[in-house]
Structures are given as structure tokens and as C-alpha cells.
Amino acid sequence: MTKSELIDRLAVRFPQLGAKDTDFAIKVILDAMTSALIDGNRIEIRGFGTFSLNFRPPRTGRNPKSGEQVDVPAKWVPHFKAGKELRERVDIRTSETCKSARADRSASSW
């Protein structure tokens, strides 16, 4: 789902909010999350997951085109870990989808 798809879904679900209001709300939330990560804070959304920063030390990489060695500097990268509730809900949904897909395949093979 893209940001614009999220805005569209929220606008449909909450018709009292206009598309501009929904867009603004999403922008404010994402900006707050970005600022928290920039400040080195961890973001925890219960039932959904946790956003944090992981440190990647400097390393030597290779340019895939020329094969020459390249020094890759150290950096901080965002990391997301899904919460238990999200993992369980996705697993149930995925299991149901896989079961129906298997049933469709076995029915069509006759």
C-alpha cells in the first residue's frame, strides 16, 4: 500500500474528513515518526510493531559493474520489527489464503 492509497482508504472510511485533512494527518504522523528516529528514539506501536535504528559499521564493498573495491561508510538504518499481534494476524490471513489456493489447484487438476 502506498501513502496515497492509505490516504484514499482513510478518506473513504472517515467521510467527515476531507482528502486534504487526511493527507495532512498522515504527513504529521510520518513527520513525527521521522523526527523521533532522527533523535535516536525508538517508536513502539502496540499490536503493530517497533521502529528503531540499527548501526551498520563501515565495510569494504564491490562495485558490481567494475568489480573494484569501494569503502562503504558506517551508517544508521531504520529497522522495523513486527509485533506479536500483527505477526499472528498476518499468519492467519496467509494460512487461509494458502489453503484456498491449494484447494483451487487440487480442484483444477481433476
Side-chain angles (χ1 to χ4, degrees):
M1 175 184 293
T2 64
K3 181 178 167 184
S4 59
E5 290 171 340
L6 176 62
I7 291 167
D8 291 341
R9 279 194 185 184
L10 287 173
V12 167
R13 187 167 180 185
F14 300 101
Q16 68 273 20
L17 297 175
K20 282 188 176 186
D21 294 332
T22 307
D23 182 36
F24 181 72
I26 296 296
K27 185 177 181 338
V28 168
I29 291 168
L30 294 177
D31 286 348
M33 291 174 72
T34 302
S35 295
L37 288 173
I38 288 170
D39 293 341
N41 295 322
R42 182 173 165 263
I43 302 165
E44 181 179 337
I45 302 172
R46 301 265 174 174
F48 183 73
T50 305
F51 296 89
S52 60
L53 294 175
N54 281 353
F55 179 74
R56 297 228 176 122
R59 61 186 174 85
T60 302
R62 289 205 177 271
N63 180 331
K65 190 171 185 178
S66 66
E68 92 181 57
Q69 290 189 341
V70 179
D71 289 330
V72 179
K75 61 183 172 180
W76 289 93
V77 294
H79 174 75
F80 174 75
K81 182 177 179 186
K84 181 180 176 185
E85 184 180 334
L86 176 62
R87 286 192 315 268
E88 289 172 352
R89 290 177 71 179
V90 168
D91 185 44
I92 289 170
R93 178 75 72 150
T94 307
S95 297
E96 291 170 359
T97 305
C98 290
K99 284 178 188 176
S100 66
R102 275 185 286 214
D104 291 345
R105 279 195 301 252
S106 65
S108 64
S109 64
W110 288 95

